[in-house]
Amino acid sequence: MTSRVTADVTIGPGDWDDRDLRGETFQRVRFVDLDLMELADEGAVFEECTFSDVRFNVSAHENAAFLTCAFRGCSFFDASFTGCKLTGSSFAGCTFGLLKVDGGDWSFTSLTRADLRGSTFDGVRLREADLSGAKLEGAALRGCDLTGAALRGADLTSCDLRGSDLSTLDPQTVTLDKATVDPDQAAVIVTAMGLRVLP
């Protein structure tokens, strides 16, 4: 069954009742202090919604959309997003331990100063995403489109960057200690540093 919840509605702990999200669309809805741990979300759509202190731990989202949503003080420990679209969404004061993102579009998202240590982004579109100051130590950004992404001040220590587009990365503004890159990326980084490689 398809249903739509719209405009200036607040959903709190007493309003959720483990509902089935299949076919659901929420527009401009406020979600407050909800426990969505282990939630299975397949294809739900959230447009311009606000999530405050919502626990997404160990939840699984597949082909879902969170469009221009705001996440504030939410937790995503061991949550997974597969083929999801989060275009234009923002995250503030959230925790992400072991977050797993497989495919999908996270373009224009704001993850400024997010602690993404140990998280995995595989084949994700992150065009013009704001990752400035993000902590990505031991994380993976494999095969990602980072075109135009803001990475100034990001800590990429021991981060697996193989296959990602690093054409706009300024190696002098990030920490790349022990990061893993492929040969093509190494050439891009060397060129960005103003060095020449001669035989």
Side-chain angles (χ1 to χ4, degrees), residues 12 29 77 84 90 92 111-112 131 144 157 164 182 198:
V29 175
F77 177 78
C84 294
S90 61
L111 287 157
T112 308
L131 289 160
C144 294
T157 300
S164 291
D182 58 39
L198 299 176

Side-chain angles (χ1 to χ4, degrees), residues 81 96 98-102 116-122 124 138-142 144:
F81 291 82
F96 300 92
L98 302 181
L99 173 72
K100 295 180 288 294
V101 183
D102 188 1
L116 294 162
R117 288 176 292 183
S119 296
T120 300
F121 290 80
D122 201 339
V124 183
L141 291 170
R142 291 188 296 260
C144 294

Side-chain angles (χ1 to χ4, degrees), residues 111-183:
L111 287 157
T112 308
R113 295 184 294 277
D115 188 345
L116 294 162
R117 288 176 292 183
S119 296
T120 300
F121 290 80
D122 201 339
V124 183
R125 186 181 176 95
L126 285 159
R127 285 188 167 230
E128 299 192 46
D130 189 350
L131 289 160
S132 55
K135 297 177 181 178
L136 289 152
E137 183 178 356
L141 291 170
R142 291 188 296 260
C144 294
D145 184 353
L146 292 165
T147 305
L151 289 161
R152 176 177 290 273
D155 185 353
L156 299 168
T157 300
S158 300
C159 185
D160 185 352
L161 298 166
R162 288 174 295 175
S164 291
D165 182 347
L166 302 181
S167 59
T168 57
L169 173 71
D170 183 349
Q172 299 184 59
T173 65
V174 300
T175 302
L176 282 169
D177 187 39
K178 298 181 181 178
T180 302
V181 297
D182 58 39

Side-chain angles (χ1 to χ4, degrees), residues 33-38 53-57 59 74-76:
D33 194 26
L34 286 180
D35 185 351
L36 302 184
M37 292 178 63
E38 300 185 1
D53 300 312
V54 176
R55 296 169 292 285
F56 290 96
N57 302 337
S59 61
C74 298
S75 57
F76 294 90

Side-chain angles (χ1 to χ4, degrees), residues 4 50-51 60 70 76 109 117 131 151 156 188 190:
R4 177 182 289 266
T50 301
F51 298 84
F76 294 90
T109 53
R117 288 176 292 183
L131 289 160
L151 289 161
L156 299 168
V188 169
V190 167

Side-chain angles (χ1 to χ4, degrees), residues 19-100:
R19 65 197 297 161
D20 186 344
L21 288 179
R22 283 177 294 185
E24 292 261 32
T25 295
F26 301 86
Q27 187 174 37
R28 295 190 301 278
V29 175
R30 295 180 296 272
F31 298 88
V32 180
D33 194 26
L34 286 180
D35 185 351
L36 302 184
M37 292 178 63
E38 300 185 1
L39 172 74
D41 165 17
E42 185 175 349
V45 177
F46 301 86
E47 301 174 8
E48 300 178 29
C49 293
T50 301
F51 298 84
S52 300
D53 300 312
V54 176
R55 296 169 292 285
F56 290 96
N57 302 337
V58 204
S59 61
H61 307 265
E62 185 173 354
N63 300 319
F66 296 83
L67 308 175
T68 322
C69 292
F71 298 87
R72 300 167 183 161
C74 298
S75 57
F76 294 90
F77 177 78
D78 204 20
S80 64
F81 291 82
T82 304
C84 294
K85 189 171 184 178
L86 282 87
T87 310
S89 291
S90 61
F91 299 81
C94 298
T95 56
F96 300 92
L98 302 181
L99 173 72
K100 295 180 288 294

